[in-house]
Amino acid sequence: MNRRKVAVLLQRMSVTVLLLFMSFPVFRASAASRSDAEDGKLVQKAVPLWAAGREKEMNLNLGFRGVFQAKSGQEVKLKVTASTLYRVFVNGEFVGSGPARAAHGYFRVDEYSAGKWVKEGENIVAVEVAGYNVNTYYTLDQPSFLLAEVTVDGKVALATGKNRDFDVFQLKERVQKVERYSFQRPFTEYYRMKEGYDRWRTSAGEPVGKLKTAVFPPVKLLPRHVLLPGFGLIDPVSVYAAGTVTKIRPEKYHKDRSLQEIGDIFKGYLEAELEATPSQEMQEIVTESREIINRSPLISGALPLKKNGFYTFDFGLNCSGFIGAHVYCSAPSRLIFHFDEMLTGGDVKTKQRQADINNQIVYELEPGAYRFETLESYTFRYLKVIALEGDCRIEKLYVREFAYPENPNATFSSSNFKLNAIYAAAKQTARQNAVDIFMDCPSRERAGWLCDSYFAAIMEKEFTGYSAVARNFYENYALPDRFRYLPDGMIPMCYPADHSDENFIPQWSMWFILQVEDYAVRGGDPALVARLKPRIEKLLDYFAGFENQDGLLEKLDGWKFVEWSKANEFVQGVNYPTNMLYSAALSAASRLYGNADRARKAERIRQTVLEQSFNGEFFVDQAIRENGRLNITGHTTEVCQYYAFFFGVATPDSHPGLWKKLVSEFGPDRDDAVTYPAVFRANAFMGNYLRMDILSRYGLQTQLLPEIQDYFFAMADRTGTLWEHMHNDASCNHGFAAYIGHVLYRDVLGIHHIDYAAKTVTIRFTDIVLEACSGSIPVEDKVIRLSWTRSGDVIRYSVFVPEGFTVKIDNRSGYRIEEKDI
């Protein structure tokens, strides 16, 4: 059964690989900067356009229809950006969705070669734009507009502006006054449709209720910089179950903060204004009967769905994208598409697993035939289609994938199928969380978090060969003059986002400095690194104001965060993991920008932490000041020990007793009720990942091998992606978790280190118990390959590196090694 799931995952991945094999990379990250926008080179004539006087209206969805002429063989290009989100069609065929996100006041332009959708003569461009105008962690609260331009052989055929090239009208089928999807994302999707609702996309004569429009001043434009998704279709693997539902009123309804806390700071429609509240209705819907059928959709054909009936579809693994369906209704029908990353009690029950997200799309349909697709991207493995009313037929169901293109030169295969599944899950997790910036998850938030992105950026380089997404991510932090709502010098914990509640995570800004250094070391744009210097210096100046007489940070403002574990309860006063991180950030800033004073300061902090925090057995997390005196508490966590070793406060030589405990008594099998119950357990984010790096750093690859499997195989096996926590009641597709792919490359395959500046590749063979392994890492459009087999007392290997690179062999395996021809 497990091997079958691995096969499904690998087959799913291969579709993208085949599509991209001849074309990747079709676009390389460039060094384009503000000058591109200021020179007006990205578009010729287009300017921002919207319905007059409605640019700040919440959840207003508009359609834009333009008609142009083309002849066979002409080059047709479409350039588009928008606030907030758009999707575009040519002659009724889906072309793309965007834009890539940018800092406040900046907008990235997507460019499509539209030739494959263009026909001889008249052609129709249809753009749908959702103007949200609410503060989120995912999109920015900025006035709505569309900026679009079509060129034919380089000449402008259509452009938004005063020339009225586009008909503009409201898309009333999407209900405007609805709930938010979550605290972190904007509005849910609720539709009321009649047959032919989309005819305007293919017919220039289809009447639309044209709106008066207004042109807005030019905005600052930036190139997209990153590859466009492939937007391929993913079909379900099986029709998992069928049955019926009924409604039972619960004793108490759950109302999350995205429904209850709407106001001046947290924007949205008040509950009393809402046209529907499906989050409340979903709590009434219960499964009355269910039959597990596990039947192929190809065998099932069209599926009849009557009142109170449902089908649950299994997509084989977590996927992210736009939910699409072809449906025929013989009577007025009301459908709910309910989805989740895993089953709860054999059923889709999102509200029981994650109460604070609205994983449902509602369609009210008049009789007729429909083809529809969500405008927003969602993440799930299981999709339950429920008919609360009516009589209809599901003719097709799919997901249009919204993920970063896969580079076929990123591979890993070993004689251990569990490791292979974990690698495949890491790759899927990375792709789905890096469409345009590094996201924490593609579901609940879609937010560009710091710290998570430290790990994600490393995987972008190794999975794609480039740091294009990283460049966008850091450029977004470089562009604003300051960040509204935050203290002077502080940077957002996630961005682009609006932090109207003035919240921030001080520790995440320290991780930002480590991230910039890692970006620089991996060959990142030196001009961008230089532009970030003032931002980092102001940040460190901010922290200097919180240093106590010992030089340690004390009583930091904001949301203090060390790890998703008990450690987050010990962050008041002096938090020693935070100060370990602070010393590392100072050291990184010193290396980046050459400040020796910061290096000395970092060392003083390390020594002070060592003196105060270590109690002879463990590093303690916290000290609290009472009556002017700093008192060390007894609060101790597993992750604090990992911080100490990860950031160089401790080593196996300096603390051999603690090191022995961590190696032999901690890890995935520890029973913390028996073994050091006063040392609170670490979680996936981020203690368990720090543990992976620490074991690797000190040569314990043999121990790493089973721990990797114990920590991560169950995740890969169940969802095909890697999770936010070790438990499953949160996101099961979290970007940072893809970092285990780096661990597999480094510690299992043996591509131990790539020095991009010196162009050297260090291959390290260790004594891991594995018969064979092979894999490759892309380096821009080239590749590093390594394969080896173990037989008897000999490791036979072959290695290939790009021209200009050299190879260093570090054999720590205890076996003889023999190089073989490729």
Side-chain angles (χ1 to χ4, degrees), residues 94 100 121 217 253 261 283 293 311 320 326 401 519 629 634 684 708 730:
F94 180 92
Y253 289 88
E261 296 182 10
Q283 297 174 59
I293 56 180
Y311 291 100
S320 297
H326 300 177
E401 189 183 45
Y519 172 71
R629 179 183 176 86
I708 291 170

Side-chain angles (χ1 to χ4, degrees), residues 434-693:
V435 179
D436 57 341
I437 60 172
F438 299 121
M439 299 185 294
D440 62 330
C441 61
S443 53
R444 179 186 70 221
E445 302 187 27
R446 299 190 68 83
W449 285 91
L450 296 175
C451 188
D452 299 66
S453 46
Y454 170 84
F455 301 95
I458 292 171
M459 292 325 303
E460 183 205 6
K461 185 73 170 182
E462 295 186 354
F463 281 156
T464 74
Y466 294 89
S467 292
V469 177
R471 189 196 182 287
N472 271 17
F473 191 90
Y474 302 131
E475 182 181 51
N476 289 344
Y477 273 90
L479 286 170
D481 294 328
R482 68 178 302 273
F483 296 102
R484 190 182 178 191
Y485 305 117
L486 299 186
D488 190 38
M490 182 49 61
I491 63 175
M493 56 192 179
C494 59
Y495 195 69
D498 290 295
H499 299 284
S500 312
D501 58 2
E502 303 180 356
N503 199 14
F504 61 94
I505 298 179
Q507 289 87 347
W508 269 207
S509 65
M510 300 178 205
W511 278 99
F512 175 75
I513 301 173
L514 304 185
Q515 294 177 225
V516 173
E517 183 188 32
D518 186 83
Y519 172 71
V521 168
R522 293 178 190 275
D525 178 6
L528 177 55
V529 174
R531 283 169 60 192
L532 288 165
K533 181 180 178 181
R535 181 126 286 158
I536 288 174
E537 289 182 336
K538 286 191 71 175
L539 176 62
L540 292 175
D541 289 343
Y542 168 85
F543 281 119
F546 290 88
E547 293 171 5
N548 64 18
Q549 63 267 34
D550 298 324
L552 300 184
L553 297 176
E554 184 174 358
K555 295 182 68 174
L556 287 173
D557 290 336
W559 174 20
K560 277 75 72 175
F561 197 108
V562 171
E563 188 204 37
W564 276 130
S565 70
K566 195 76 171 178
N568 273 0
E569 297 182 18
F570 310 136
V571 293
Q572 305 305 321
V574 173
N575 178 262
Y576 291 111
T578 296
N579 278 282
M580 296 172 190
L581 170 60
Y582 184 42
S583 70
L586 286 163
S587 294
S590 174
R591 291 187 294 268
L592 274 169
Y593 304 118
N595 188 317
D597 288 341
R598 289 204 179 106
R600 287 189 287 270
K601 182 178 182 179
E603 182 55 32
R604 288 196 300 272
I605 291 171
R606 276 190 285 271
Q607 289 304 315
T608 304
V609 168
L610 182 59
E611 293 167 6
Q612 293 185 10
S613 174
F614 190 65
N615 64 9
E617 187 176 20
F618 291 103
F619 284 90
V620 176
D621 283 59
Q622 182 188 36
I624 296 292
R625 192 170 298 278
E626 297 174 349
N627 299 320
R629 179 183 176 86
L630 199 62
N631 296 319
I632 310 299
T633 70
H635 300 144
T636 308
T637 65
E638 182 181 358
V639 73
C640 181
Q641 318 314 308
Y642 298 150
Y643 266 68
F645 283 89
F646 186 80
F647 292 123
V649 175
T651 68
D653 291 336
S654 69
H655 292 72
L658 175 56
W659 178 247
K660 184 178 179 181
K661 289 185 183 75
L662 293 178
V663 170
S664 61
E665 299 180 74
F666 286 76
D669 296 329
R670 176 170 77 108
D671 182 352
D672 48 350
V674 176
T675 306
Y676 303 107
V679 180
F680 296 102
R681 179 181 287 275
N683 201 348
F685 187 57
M686 65 201 70
N688 294 344
Y689 281 82
L690 298 185
R691 179 179 176 87
M692 300 293 100
D693 266 16

Side-chain angles (χ1 to χ4, degrees), residues 251-303:
E251 291 184 9
K252 183 178 181 181
Y253 289 88
H254 172 75
K255 295 185 178 183
D256 67 37
R257 55 183 173 169
S258 69
L259 181 61
Q260 288 190 301
E261 296 182 10
I262 299 298
D264 293 337
I265 294 177
F266 181 57
K267 295 175 67 175
Y269 288 106
L270 296 171
E271 187 175 359
E273 299 177 285
L274 299 176
E275 295 187 47
T277 53
S279 70
Q280 304 305 291
E281 185 180 22
M282 291 304 300
Q283 297 174 59
E284 301 172 352
I285 300 170
V286 296
T287 297
E288 186 175 49
S289 67
R290 181 177 70 248
E291 178 187 2
I292 308 301
I293 56 180
N294 265 333
R295 194 167 60 207
S296 167
L298 296 176
I299 296 173
S300 302
L303 297 170

